[in-house]
Amino acid sequence: QVTLKESGPGILQPSQTLSLTCSFSGFSLSTSGICVSWIRQPSGKGLEWLATICWEDSKGYNPSLKNRLTISKDTSNNQAFLKITSVDTADTAIYYCARTNWAYGFDYWGQGVMVTVSS
Amino acid sequence: DIQMTQSPSFLSASVGDRVTINCKASQNINKYLNWYQQKLGEAPKLLIYNTNNLQTGIPSRFSGSGSGTDYTLTISSLQPEDVATYFCLQHSSRPWTFGGGTKLELK
């Protein structure tokens, strides 16, 4: 059974760095063809793909935020991470992680974690 | 970026109705189109991948069709448990982009 769960700070202040963790089970990020992605959804707005990291450590970023994003993984502990630097109120959103396959898209998602940026 | 225009944004239908939801891409996405269902407080669930492939465990009343820029999700006979928000995803070209969502309610 594939499961993913996101964790984060809940609330942080503008200009800080947001650190998110995706803990997963039921698959391995060392398996060929497997990736993990981060997606977010601001309240009342649409979904936005942020970044993807794959089994061989290749990475992809949304160009609209590329300079602020860093995705990484800990294969041994079945975790993926996302850092977003210099956050502001526009980064307030629900953040999801999802297992990803380049041929099939996002197939399993976590429930999401709410992150609020506020002074 | 490929823009995905999803319609309608809201849909009210009765149990047993045939329901269709559409996504239109700003360019050809070569059938790399997925449909997801999201119920309140739950993780999004993959229903259909690559236009017309039913994900394992999804009821056969869900189906997908389309090509080029135009894609459709059909629920052949709406059930009460289908109340949810539905959204499409194109994974033909990075950055992958989503439709705006359709909130489906029971009439």
Side-chain angles (χ1 to χ4, degrees):
Chain A
Q1 181 188 5
V2 172
T3 64
L4 304 98
K5 186 172 184 178
E6 306 87 349
S7 59
I11 186 165
L12 68 166
Q13 295 185 335
S15 80
Q16 290 186 321
T17 294
L18 170 61
S19 294
L20 297 166
T21 299
C22 175
S23 301
F24 54 85
S25 62
F27 67 97
S28 173
L29 250 180
S30 62
T31 301
S32 179
I34 295 297
C35 311
V36 168
S37 299
W38 288 94
I39 302 113
R40 72 180 180 182
Q41 184 170 32
S43 180
K45 297 188 177 180
L47 291 150
E48 179 180 37
W49 167 71
L50 299 175
T52 297
I53 189 165
C54 295
W55 80 102
E56 83 291 36
D57 210 35
S58 65
K59 304 174 180 75
Y61 295 101
N62 191 317
S64 67
L65 295 99
K66 183 177 180 179
N67 292 338
R68 300 174 52 215
L69 301 178
T70 303
I71 193 169
S72 59
K73 62 182 172 71
D74 179 347
T75 302
S76 300
N77 288 307
N78 288 339
Q79 292 181 314
F81 311 97
L82 183 71
K83 290 188 186 295
I84 305 178
T85 59
S86 304
V87 297
D88 66 15
T89 55
D91 296 307
T92 295
I94 298 174
Y95 287 79
Y96 299 95
C97 62
R99 193 180 78 164
T100 304
N101 178 293
W102 289 121
Y104 306 117
F106 311 126
D107 57 359
Y108 293 92
W109 297 56
Q111 285 194 305
V113 63
M114 181 69 205
V115 174
T116 302
V117 179
S118 175
S119 55
Chain B
D1 298 5
I2 296 176
Q3 307 303 314
M4 300 300 296
T5 303
Q6 187 171 339
S7 61
S9 300
F10 298 94
L11 182 54
S12 182
S14 301
V15 172
D17 281 355
R18 182 181 182 87
V19 169
T20 60
I21 298 170
N22 301 293
C23 267
K24 185 174 184 66
S26 58
Q27 64 190 69
N28 184 359
I29 56 171
N30 298 301
K31 297 194 171 187
Y32 288 105
L33 189 286
N34 292 0
W35 290 99
Y36 297 88
Q37 175 193 68
Q38 186 175 23
K39 297 182 180 180
L40 203 61
E42 297 184 8
K45 180 189 295 185
L46 175 63
L47 301 175
I48 303 281
Y49 63 93
N50 295 347
T51 296
N52 56 10
N53 296 279
L54 196 65
Q55 175 72 336
T56 303
I58 301 302
S60 59
R61 64 180 180 274
F62 291 93
S63 64
S65 62
S67 63
T69 61
D70 295 295
Y71 298 85
T72 300
L73 171 70
T74 300
I75 307 173
S76 60
S77 178
L78 186 67
Q79 300 303 302
E81 60 267 30
D82 299 336
V83 169
T85 296
Y86 295 83
F87 57 90
C88 62
L89 163 75
Q90 71 80 17
H91 60 104
S92 171
S93 173
R94 289 194 235 178
W96 294 357
T97 48
F98 296 87
T102 296
K103 187 173 183 180
L104 176 57
E105 299 178 339
L106 280 180
K107 193 178 290 183

